[in-house]
Amino acid sequence: MDDWQRFLIAMDKSETSRRAVRYVGHMARGLAEKHICLLHVYPEPPPDFYTRGGRLDRYQMVKDERAGIFLQDASIILEEMGISGRDISQQISMAEGRTISQAVLDIRKEGGFGTVVTGKRGVSKAEEFLFGSISNALARHARDFTAWIVG
């Protein structure tokens, strides 16, 4: 089992994600050894993106900039809760050729994160089919790690 004190928070800009960040902040505050990675994974461009003149580099830049804002806000929340900036990292990634859920699980495994946290967010059946529900995927695949789903 991977190190449970390595927290991966899969987040978006929702309030439930912010609650997940605060929850991890409370739980991790007293730990001597810890690492918290704030992760945002976004989908690939839609199928008609390129036929409408879209450029991948521009798409990624816009997505990265938007995610950077709420990840930085989450870092500030953690630091205000007493978590050292040295214990916090950020990662933004595009789910290339896979669902967002699978990308989160792959990043978890690659980084040796023993605790994965996400906010519960209601998605439609169509969104779940296209992008995958992160909370459902975590609950189904939590074998070598702990999954926390914050409502």
Side-chain angles (χ1 to χ4, degrees):
M1 179 172 263
D2 291 317
D3 184 356
W4 70 272
Q5 294 173 317
R6 289 182 53 77
F7 300 90
L8 179 66
I9 306 176
M11 58 181 303
D12 57 17
K13 63 181 177 184
S14 68
E15 182 53 37
T16 56
S17 285
R18 292 172 63 86
R19 282 197 295 271
V21 168
R22 286 190 291 273
Y23 185 82
V24 171
H26 286 293
M27 299 302 284
R29 189 172 24 204
L31 299 174
E33 297 291 322
K34 62 187 156 292
H35 179 76
I36 301 170
C37 178
L38 303 168
L39 171 68
H40 176 69
V41 178
Y42 56 88
E44 291 180 289
D48 65 341
F49 178 76
Y50 298 106
T51 59
R52 290 184 293 132
R55 290 184 21 215
L56 182 59
D57 61 337
R58 176 77 177 133
Y59 175 81
Q60 290 174 311
M61 184 181 72
V62 168
K63 293 288 188 180
D64 289 351
E65 286 176 1
R66 289 180 183 163
I69 293 168
F70 62 80
L71 292 182
Q72 186 58 37
D73 288 344
S75 290
I76 291 168
I77 290 169
L78 290 170
E79 288 179 22
E80 288 175 347
M81 295 179 77
I83 306 293
S84 170
R86 293 184 313 271
D87 296 326
I88 303 168
S89 65
Q90 299 177 10
Q91 183 174 346
I92 303 168
S93 182
M94 184 170 69
E96 299 179 59
R98 55 194 171 169
T99 65
I100 292 172
S101 301
Q102 188 58 54
V104 170
L105 291 168
D106 291 347
I107 291 166
R108 184 223 59 89
K109 189 172 186 175
E110 292 163 7
F113 294 98
T115 304
V116 182
V117 184
T118 192
K120 181 181 178 193
R121 189 181 123 202
V123 295
S124 70
K125 288 295 179 187
E127 286 176 315
E128 186 173 336
F129 176 76
L130 289 173
F131 306 123
S133 167
I134 295 171
S135 56
N136 285 341
L138 290 178
R140 279 194 321 270
H141 297 287
R143 287 184 185 82
D144 296 333
F145 66 96
T146 300
W148 293 348
I149 301 166
V150 179

